[in-house]
Amino acid sequence: MQLKIKKVLSISILLSAVGLSMAACSNKSSSSNAKNADHSIALVTNNTGVDDHSFNQSAWEGLKRYGKAHDLLKGNGGYNYFESSSASDHIPNIEQAINAKYKTIVGVGYELGDAINTESKKHPKNNFIMIDNVINRKNVASATFKSNDASYLAGYAAAYTTKTNVVGFVGGAHGVILNLFDAGFAKGVADTAKEQNKKIKIINAYVGDFSSVDKAKAIAKAMYANKADVIYQVAATAGEGVFQEAKDINTKKAANDKVWVIGVDSDQSSLGVYKDKDGKKSNFTLTSTIKGIGKAVEDIANKAYDGEFPGGKHFVYGLKGNGTYVVKGNMSDSAWAAVNKAKQNVIDGKVKVPTTPSN
């Protein structure tokens, strides 16, 4: 009997020791994050999710770099994201992040403007970062991008690449931000056509939202059927439909006869990988216009970390300093050279890119 009691006691002591050890391990992240609570930051996405291969994903990557640089872990007291599926999620997600004690809240996309405006007023002790909109409040730092300038370069790339002299533009939903892309692209195509003394037609269509992949695919199918061989898609998640249609077409063609897609917000070259009719691996992403969303989030978050949160300031990112830019991607050397010349002309003020479409 005495032996059995000793055995039970030994097991209890052992289990207690293991439990303490496991608790120490499980609390490692929370205790590590807890001491950095004032530097915690949460991302609230717009309605296309964090893995949209575009806008939100770029912001999230910037947030992860910030976390890694400061030894913060994902989770409460560190960094995290809250996904929205509709506008009705914006304020609840912000409230959830604030209740979880995140100090700085990042709103991604102009659609969150009303929510950030409301919540920043309600929570004056929190910092807010507004991406792609401007909120004039002391605890909000705003960041916008000269997407018209980067889209101007996309227009050059499309016009230098087209063999049919027909190119397409597929937008998500009409609005101030999409106007920048639309106007810049049209100007770039027009200026290139003038330089080359030829006529290039632009087919322009909008999905109506940023999530209807099937609708974007149908629009792209109609554009390609009407001889467009380059389409610039600015439709977030819906834009994946443009890539799907291009892939369907290109798998039945030789690689030198492919149709092209221009990506947006992040490098979307991975979406253009395919095999042609002969089984040869190729890529139909011509280039992508990049918004330095992740860079903006990271820059402002770092300022907050240093105790210098730039509340009330509006940061504008453009071609100078690569706040916006295009990647070479699969452009020809002549197209790339023309794009870089056009870029310098914009930076030098020789070309003024419009912010609203002419039609």
Side-chain angles (χ1 to χ4, degrees):
M1 188 71 176
Q2 188 176 3
L3 181 62
K4 287 177 75 175
I5 291 171
K6 284 184 177 179
K7 188 173 182 180
V8 171
L9 286 171
S10 297
I11 292 172
S12 297
I13 291 168
L14 177 62
L15 288 173
S16 296
V18 170
L20 287 170
S21 176
M22 288 180 70
C25 291
S26 65
N27 286 331
K28 183 178 180 182
S29 62
S30 60
S31 62
S32 174
N33 275 346
K35 66 182 181 181
N36 290 303
D38 284 346
H39 306 307
S40 60
I41 185 167
L43 179 76
V44 177
T45 75
N46 64 10
N47 308 337
T48 57
V50 78
D51 294 321
D52 60 356
H53 302 291
S54 185
F55 201 85
N56 293 297
Q57 186 170 321
S58 178
W60 177 235
E61 287 170 356
L63 210 61
K64 287 192 288 185
R65 289 194 299 270
Y66 164 79
K68 185 176 181 180
H70 300 293
D71 294 322
L72 296 173
L73 302 172
K74 184 182 176 185
N76 289 2
Y79 64 95
N80 213 337
Y81 66 84
F82 295 79
E83 287 189 298
S84 305
S85 57
S86 69
S88 62
D89 294 331
H90 296 163
I91 286 180
N93 278 341
I94 294 170
E95 287 288 340
Q96 187 178 349
I98 291 172
N99 289 337
K101 306 302 182 185
Y102 287 96
K103 177 68 173 179
T104 300
I105 311 298
V106 184
V108 185
Y110 69 93
E111 309 97 319
L112 275 91
D114 289 342
I116 294 294
N117 188 39
T118 298
E119 292 297 292
S120 61
K121 185 177 181 179
K122 184 178 176 182
H123 301 282
K125 291 184 179 180
N126 283 88
N127 301 325
F128 293 83
I129 301 173
M130 181 72 255
I131 300 296
D132 243 7
N133 208 331
V134 180
I135 305 296
N136 295 312
R137 201 173 297 285
K138 290 182 179 180
N139 59 334
V140 183
S142 304
T144 59
F145 304 84
K146 293 183 178 181
S147 300
N148 53 321
D149 290 353
S151 296
Y152 178 71
L153 305 185
Y156 257 80
Y160 261 85
T161 303
T162 181
K163 296 176 181 178
T164 63
N165 289 335
V166 181
V167 300
F169 176 90
V170 177
H174 284 284
V176 174
I177 302 301
L178 265 291
N179 281 345
L180 297 172
F181 291 93
D182 197 335
F185 182 69
K187 173 70 171 171
V189 171
D191 283 2
T192 309
K194 186 176 180 180
E195 285 178 12
Q196 297 182 338
N197 196 28
K198 62 182 182 181
K199 292 183 179 180
I200 301 177
K201 179 182 178 181
I202 301 175
I203 306 174
N204 185 294
Y206 279 74
V207 178
D209 59 55
F210 293 95
S211 57
S212 299
V213 175
D214 289 347
K215 188 172 180 181
K217 189 176 190 298
I219 290 172
K221 184 175 183 178
M223 286 186 177
Y224 287 129
N226 282 283
K227 297 186 178 181
D229 57 353
V230 185
I231 294 177
Y232 180 28
Q233 73 80 20
V234 188
T237 299
E240 293 178 20
V242 180
F243 282 94
Q244 290 173 10
E245 182 59 29
K247 187 172 184 179
D248 288 349
I249 292 171
N250 286 330
T251 53
K252 300 169 187 174
K253 290 171 160 278
N256 62 1
D257 192 32
K258 72 183 71 169
V259 296
W260 298 94
V261 179
I262 296 176
V264 70
D265 289 337
S266 62
D267 187 349
Q268 296 186 314
S269 57
S270 63
L271 298 179
V273 176
Y274 78 105
K275 288 184 179 179
D276 71 3
K277 68 174 186 177
D278 300 315
K280 179 182 176 183
K281 189 175 180 180
S282 190
N283 195 303
F284 59 80
T285 302
L286 178 61
T287 181
S288 298
T289 58
I290 311 294
K291 271 187 181 180
I293 299 164
K295 173 181 168 59
V297 169
E298 188 179 7
D299 286 351
I300 299 172
N302 281 329
K303 287 179 172 63
Y305 187 91
D306 294 334
E308 299 174 354
F309 181 73
K313 291 188 177 180
H314 174 203
F315 298 91
V316 181
Y317 294 83
L319 294 179
K320 188 175 182 179
N322 285 334
T324 59
Y325 60 98
V326 297
V327 295
K328 184 176 189 295
N330 292 292
M331 276 189 261
S332 66
D333 289 342
S334 59
W336 183 235
V339 163
N340 278 297
K341 182 179 179 181
K343 176 182 177 179
Q344 197 58 50
N345 284 339
V346 174
I347 291 173
D348 292 344
K350 294 179 180 178
V351 173
K352 184 173 177 57
V353 183
T355 56
T356 56
S358 58
N359 52 2

